[in-house]
Amino acid sequence: MVAGAGAGIAAVPGGGRPLIITEDPVLLDDLLRLCAAAGAEPHVHHAVPEQSGADGGAGASDAGAGGVGWDSAPLVLVGDDAAGRVRGAPRRTGVFLVGRDLDDPLVWQRAVEIGAEEVLRLPDAESLLVDRIADVVEGAGRPALAVGVIGGAGGAGASTLACALAVRAARAGERTILIDGDPLGGGMDVLLGGESAEGLRWPDFAASRGRVGAGALEESLPELHALRVLSWDRGDRVVVPPAAMRSVVAAARRRGGVVVVDLPRRVDEAVAEVLAQLDLVLMVVPGELRSVAAAGRVAAGVRMVARDVRVVVRGRCPGGLDPEAVAGLLGAPLAGEVPVEVGLPGRVAEGEPPGAQGRGALARFCDGFWQRALGPAQGVPA
């Protein structure tokens, strides 16, 4: 059973606006700058809002005047100068003590006294802090269930399965993003019949630095068959740096729902960044000995990074291995068997994506997988 992930985004209290508590003008300027970088408009106070009764400066408002209070703010950034004034406030999650003095031996004691989750020291923690604030702005709830699909051997049908999983998840009402992780695969948008659809492709993200906004990413991608797809184009090959790959996949996960990634068989540094963020990797292996031998080498590389690798056996080969034997030889749990679907290549050539026919063998496998992964309450219609 795979840990589930809900399709919706949890509501964020306080309108997604963090609360800053400080009287240090230099620290306040830094925090306002970092909030602006994350797209957040904070509330600012000198003390716990319910106790202050006075305007705290730019962006400030009292809890009783429509602002956020200590309990309702989604994130509280307490300046080191204000720790004493916050001491005694009700304990809650999402409190961070922020300061600049790297040599202060008492900072951890003050953090414990106010119930802070972490101590963030600027400027070293600026990137981390921007991420925390941006999560609040984007209404980050439960992250997406991220599933990778990789072929254990050439021609195993991994891209077809990845596409079908995404199509069936979208038809079940899940917010779904399909990511093409294989620059030599020809483009997942082609498999979906949308190579001419407007939207960004991987080369557009090659120069990305730092955090990618989850909402902006989703809105920028082509929408095909009720899902968003990030594919490669047909131009000259562009190398996407590992950091950009990591940022894009992380942004896709922050929107919740489901993320499906079609993976190449070679695990390089960029692919390793993707594997590290996946909840589960499905390795597609034909049920014959040579394919199993090839899959063993692929599995060895994937297991170095991925936390959970399972085998999907594709088709029954005459005189070949049964699914349990394939999984046993690879030393991985069996996720199931996908029978060869007669007529699927022809339908795909005519523009019908894999998994579109709810009564087909491929769709039935995908529906069963999502019912187990997402929970029985989220059934998939035929």
Side-chain angles (χ1 to χ4, degrees), residues 277-329:
Q277 298 191 60
L278 300 179
D279 298 298
L280 171 66
V281 176
L282 298 177
M283 176 173 291
V284 186
V285 186
E288 52 93 15
L289 191 57
R290 185 179 179 188
S291 295
V292 174
R297 293 190 291 270
V298 177
V302 172
R303 285 197 184 102
M304 294 179 66
V305 186
R307 66 191 71 163
D308 189 349
V309 181
R310 306 186 191 184
V311 174
V312 175
V313 178
R314 180 174 178 267
R316 290 289 183 108
C317 300
L321 303 168
D322 60 48
E324 291 77 12
V326 172
L329 288 171

Side-chain angles (χ1 to χ4, degrees), residues 8-327:
I9 297 295
V12 177
R17 296 178 63 181
L19 172 64
I20 296 175
I21 301 178
T22 184
E23 283 187 303
D24 183 335
V26 176
L27 180 60
L28 178 58
D29 284 345
D30 286 335
L31 293 178
L32 291 176
R33 171 175 55 82
L34 296 177
C35 283
E41 182 183 354
H43 295 270
V44 181
H45 285 268
H46 294 160
V48 176
E50 289 83 353
Q51 300 173 352
S52 65
D55 193 317
S61 60
D62 294 329
V68 295
W70 173 267
D71 292 328
S72 62
L75 181 73
V76 180
L77 305 176
V78 179
D80 193 34
D81 65 294
R85 297 190 297 277
V86 171
R87 190 184 299 118
R91 293 300 174 103
R92 52 152 293 167
T93 60
V95 176
F96 298 89
L97 184 63
V98 186
R100 284 188 163 280
D101 189 352
L102 301 180
D103 299 320
D104 184 356
L106 301 179
V107 65
W108 297 105
Q109 178 181 331
R110 291 193 291 275
V112 171
E113 290 173 349
I114 67 172
E117 292 185 11
E118 292 184 55
V119 174
L120 303 177
R121 292 173 171 172
L122 303 182
D124 293 349
E126 286 192 356
S127 177
L128 173 61
L129 188 50
V130 170
D131 283 351
R132 297 281 189 177
I133 298 168
D135 283 342
V136 169
V137 175
E138 294 174 353
R142 182 178 296 173
L145 176 63
V147 178
V149 185
I150 190 169
S159 296
T160 299
L161 178 58
C163 186
L165 284 168
V167 167
R168 299 309 297 172
R171 292 198 175 189
E174 295 289 332
R175 171 184 275 129
T176 305
I177 296 180
L178 174 61
I179 297 177
D180 185 354
D182 187 358
L184 302 180
M188 292 295 285
D189 54 355
V190 176
L191 198 55
L192 287 162
E195 59 269 28
S196 61
E198 293 186 1
L200 301 184
R201 266 70 173 178
W202 265 120
D204 298 303
F205 295 94
S208 296
R209 296 291 183 271
R211 183 188 180 91
V212 175
L217 171 68
E218 184 178 26
E219 293 172 5
S220 71
L221 300 179
E223 183 174 6
L224 303 168
H225 303 282
L227 61 91
R228 299 283 181 167
V229 57
L230 174 54
S231 182
W232 296 88
D233 61 9
R234 265 58 61 189
D236 293 337
R237 183 181 177 185
V238 175
V239 176
V240 177
M245 190 80 76
R246 177 179 63 247
S247 296
V248 168
V249 175
R253 292 203 67 195
R254 286 197 300 274
R255 293 296 279 177
V258 165
V259 173
V260 180
V261 185
D262 181 40
L263 296 163
R265 293 172 59 207
R266 179 183 177 184
V267 180
D268 57 18
E269 188 177 352
V271 174
E273 291 286 359
V274 177
L275 287 170
Q277 298 191 60
L278 300 179
D279 298 298
L280 171 66
V281 176
L282 298 177
M283 176 173 291
V284 186
V285 186
E288 52 93 15
L289 191 57
R290 185 179 179 188
S291 295
V292 174
R297 293 190 291 270
V298 177
V302 172
R303 285 197 184 102
M304 294 179 66
V305 186
R307 66 191 71 163
D308 189 349
V309 181
R310 306 186 191 184
V311 174
V312 175
V313 178
R314 180 174 178 267
R316 290 289 183 108
C317 300
L321 303 168
D322 60 48
E324 291 77 12
V326 172

